[in-house]
Amino acid sequence: MSVDEGKMNELLGSFVADLGGAYHAISAVIGDRLGLYRALLATMPASAAEVAEEAGVGERYALEWLRGQAAGGYITYDAATERFSMTEEQAFALAAPEGLQLAAAFHIPVAVGKNVERLTETIRTDGGFGWHEHDPAMFEGVERFFRPGYVANLVSSWIPALDGVAQKLDRGANVADVGCGHGASTLLLGASYPRSQVTGFDYHAPSIEQARKRAADTGLAGRVSFQVAAAADFPGTDYDLVAIFDALHDMPDPLGAARHIREALKADGTLLLVEPFANDTLEDNMTPVGRLYYGASIVICCPHSMTEEPRAALGAQAGEARLTEILNEAGFTRVRRATETPFNLILEARP
């Protein structure tokens, strides 16, 4: 075997970054759970002792956590004063209550890791592993990771990109949010369009229970409701808008779900389909975002889709062409890319 030293060193560099990232994921989850990012924001520029006191943790542990976070570029260290702080960008990304809450995303791979043996066996036997079988931290992490993106884009750009939908919602529309999880998108629609009635559906009963609590806590229970139901048989007809956020590709039968949605829509209704951003070929998805989604897909998306027939397993990088093909087969005659972000494709489908 002839090994190119330069290429080997490049590969080893990637390996070190990835292994460090794996440990960083655990560190970020611990920091999120213990409020260390918030403690630093409240005391900066701070010593480890000040952060530890604010968060109520051991000083030595706080120091090692701060060092690791600084080495990863998530916080800032001033060697002259030996104090830690955050830039505006770091604070918004990690510590601000209404910021991106990026540390929450690390709850997802850490939750997956708790079932790595079962997932390994699932893949070995070509079986399935349902969404409901994951550790509860998965559901928390997914909601907290996706919610800032919905807050930043749903009402300001995604809805306006749809033909006539914003006007319908303003006047008062009947809306279904399918695969709603903890209801972040459902509640946002209900809060933004008070004349509309929004119903969130999800097959996962604990998520629906949590969504109902959120609706009550935010005073939206009067115009937002939640029901346990699957995408292929959720109740109701004559919907003006049906939305699916980052969920169609997870479903065992996305075509069946799309057909049911088509039947549930009014003749002039709209399907808003939000999916992970993907190009239509593997070579065009060899990017950091593509890598992220392929990594999630093999342990979350495909295993759930493989739990029931027809086990479509679209995966998180299905791409616009494949999604359009499914929607056309389901009876939608007009499908277009309404808009996009670096993380999402936003498709509009009409009967």
Side-chain angles (χ1 to χ4, degrees):
M1 183 180 294
S2 178
V3 176
D4 184 295
E5 184 176 354
K7 291 180 180 179
M8 176 57 74
N9 287 336
E10 183 179 350
L11 178 58
L12 288 173
S14 297
F15 162 76
V16 170
D18 290 344
L19 186 59
Y23 282 111
H24 181 85
I26 299 170
S27 177
V29 167
I30 291 171
D32 183 60
R33 288 281 188 239
L34 295 177
L36 289 168
Y37 293 109
R38 296 189 300 275
L40 175 58
L41 182 62
T43 57
M44 67 182 196
S47 66
E50 290 166 337
V51 172
E53 182 179 1
E54 177 73 17
V57 305
E59 180 181 340
R60 183 63 184 88
Y61 285 112
L63 176 60
E64 206 71 358
W65 184 86
L66 290 163
R67 287 170 171 172
Q69 294 291 308
Y74 277 53
I75 66 174
T76 301
Y77 175 65
D78 184 345
T81 62
E82 297 186 346
R83 287 182 172 267
F84 299 89
S85 62
M86 286 181 160
T87 64
E88 293 287 341
E89 295 76 17
Q90 291 166 339
F92 180 74
L94 296 160
E98 295 305 317
L100 298 178
Q101 299 189 40
L102 292 185
F106 291 113
H107 286 275
I108 302 172
V110 169
V112 168
K114 295 179 181 180
N115 284 300
V116 69
E117 297 299 333
R118 292 182 61 196
L119 285 163
T120 301
E121 185 65 9
T122 293
I123 293 168
R124 187 186 72 80
T125 60
D126 198 32
F129 189 94
W131 171 257
H132 60 279
E133 297 180 78
H134 283 285
D135 185 88
M138 169 71 71
F139 316 132
E140 176 196 352
V142 166
E143 180 202 5
R144 291 178 60 200
F145 174 60
F146 282 106
R147 184 179 180 276
Y150 299 156
V151 170
N153 295 293
L154 177 55
V155 175
S156 64
S157 60
W158 295 352
I159 293 294
L162 307 177
D163 185 17
V165 170
Q167 293 82 355
K168 289 182 181 180
L169 292 170
D170 285 332
R171 291 193 300 267
N174 189 19
V175 181
D177 185 2
V178 178
C180 66
H182 285 185
S185 51
T186 323
L187 295 170
L188 181 58
L189 286 167
S192 302
Y193 302 101
R195 294 182 179 177
S196 293
Q197 183 65 42
V198 188
T199 306
F201 298 104
D202 201 290
Y203 92 99
H204 188 232
S207 288
I208 289 296
E209 181 180 354
Q210 184 63 244
R212 287 170 177 163
K213 290 178 181 177
R214 300 280 171 82
D217 291 344
T218 55
L220 292 171
R223 60 177 183 266
V224 175
S225 60
F226 294 94
Q227 296 185 40
V228 177
D233 61 6
F234 65 88
T237 57
D238 291 332
Y239 288 104
D240 297 286
L241 174 68
V242 176
I244 305 180
F245 296 92
D246 295 291
L248 185 72
H249 67 275
D250 296 303
M251 297 177 186
D253 185 10
L255 175 58
R259 281 175 172 157
H260 181 66
I261 290 168
R262 169 66 183 85
E263 293 168 357
L265 279 170
K266 286 183 178 178
D268 64 344
T270 301
L271 167 61
L272 166 60
L273 178 60
V274 178
E275 279 283 296
F277 183 89
N279 294 298
D280 293 322
T281 63
L282 171 58
E283 55 267 31
D284 290 331
N285 289 327
M286 291 185 178
T287 65
V289 172
R291 182 188 186 221
L292 166 64
Y293 284 139
Y294 282 127
S297 191
I298 192 173
V299 292
I300 303 173
C301 312
C302 288
H304 177 73
S305 186
M306 297 283 276
T307 56
E308 296 178 11
E309 296 296 334
R311 291 160 44 101
L314 285 179
Q317 293 287 270
E320 183 178 2
R322 180 72 180 110
L323 293 168
T324 299
E325 179 183 329
I326 290 170
L327 294 173
N328 287 156
E329 189 174 351
F332 290 94
T333 62
R334 292 165 289 171
V335 181
R336 69 180 182 93
R337 184 185 302 199
T339 186
E340 65 184 65
T341 74
F343 292 98
N344 284 109
L345 289 175
I346 295 83
L347 302 183
E348 176 189 57
R350 306 291 295 274

